[in-house]
Amino acid sequence: MTPVLQAKDIVKHYGTVEALRGASFEVGAGEVVALIGDNGAGKSTLVKCLSGAEIPDSGTILIEGTPVALDSPVAARRLGIETVYQDLAVAPELDPAANLFLGREIRRKGLLGRLGVLDKAEMRRKAAAEFTRLGVTLQSIDVPISALSGGQRQSVAVARSVVWASKVVFMDEPTAALGVVQREKVLDVIRRVRDEGMAVVLISHNMPEVLSVSDRVEVLRLGRRVARFTAAEATLEDLVGAMTGALTQENAA
Ligand SMILES: Nc1ncnc2c1ncn2[C@@H]1O[C@H](COP(=O)(O)OP(=O)(O)OP(=O)(O)O)[C@@H](O)[C@H]1O
Ligand SMILES: [Mg+2]
């Protein structure tokens, strides 16, 4: 089956740092792929390249087999790709509903809407419904995001990505700041959108979490893909071995 999103031989430098040295990656519709690797392996850089936040120096990105130019986050979003960035991109001064609709605000009907007046009540109502559906519990959706806990903020960012994505969701360490209950909720959301046919890419350093939620695992090391596993067949030792370089796989790149 053609992957919904595929990256081939992506190279990305930051000055003299070679963050990606010919990295490849793929994810299919209706699967959760964990992208793992040691600190600095290039995971976040790859996610940024595949969501339009960074432009690769070279390499090919294909959506459903067709090469695409993801030259901005807006371009990626138009193609159905949403991202929860590791360095969270929420607007701290706005409330959760406004964050959910950031860049996609609903306007009032008629002249007011044409003048740019937003329908805040409608956005608040829809946002509340989505937060409920996704199991995100907030005491109030009327407070600025900056007044929420780090974990609640992360949950809002996750909700925003899955509400708007049509093909692929990237989540760069979405559970890193979460307590046990919130973490399980995010993992449930991941499973649910996967079951609806979404391609989900999860970056995590938590190996039990990786093995419990993902269908496949792709391993980055020093800016290249060094191993690929079916989660059901992989052990913790396999994953750690591939990340550290102790275990090598032919043909993984
Ligand atoms: N904006 C930047 N400017 C300069 N170097 C960068 C930049 N972003 C990343 N790098 C470098 O690129 C390499 C890959 O970084 P990246 O953030 O992709 O790693 P990662 O796999 O996400 O690590 P972590 O698990 O710690 O989040 C690192 O050596 C990092 O220092
Ligand atoms: Mg990272």
Side-chain angles (χ1 to χ4, degrees), residues 13 28 51 126 142 203:
H13 292 85
S51 57
K126 287 199 167 152
D142 294 323
I203 295 181

Side-chain angles (χ1 to χ4, degrees), residues 93-98 120 124-125 131 138-145 147-148:
E93 72 283 8
L94 298 177
D95 66 36
K120 290 197 178 143
R124 198 158 293 172
R125 201 182 56 71
F131 289 137
L138 305 166
Q139 269 93 337
S140 162
I141 62 166
D142 294 323
V143 295
I145 282 271
L148 300 181

Side-chain angles (χ1 to χ4, degrees), residues 75-88:
R77 278 190 212 125
R78 278 203 197 105
L79 292 166
I81 301 168
E82 291 290 328
T83 310
V84 181
Y85 292 103
Q86 184 172 16
D87 28 28
L88 277 186

Side-chain angles (χ1 to χ4, degrees), residues 37-45 47-48 86-87 172-173 203 205:
D38 213 345
N39 293 122
K43 304 177 300 294
S44 294
T45 305
V47 168
K48 287 176 181 167
Q86 184 172 16
D87 28 28
D172 196 347
E173 306 200 24
I203 295 181
H205 286 285

Side-chain angles (χ1 to χ4, degrees), residues 89-145:
V90 285
E93 72 283 8
L94 298 177
D95 66 36
N99 264 281
L100 196 77
F101 283 94
L102 197 62
R104 289 150 165 140
E105 288 81 3
I106 300 175
R107 295 193 176 179
R108 297 268 288 271
K109 291 199 173 63
L111 178 65
L112 286 178
R114 288 199 293 281
L115 291 173
V117 177
L118 303 182
D119 192 341
K120 290 197 178 143
E122 178 69 359
M123 287 194 280
R124 198 158 293 172
R125 201 182 56 71
K126 287 199 167 152
E130 291 294 346
F131 289 137
T132 303
R133 185 176 75 88
L134 297 169
V136 178
T137 40
L138 305 166
Q139 269 93 337
S140 162
I141 62 166
D142 294 323
V143 295
I145 282 271

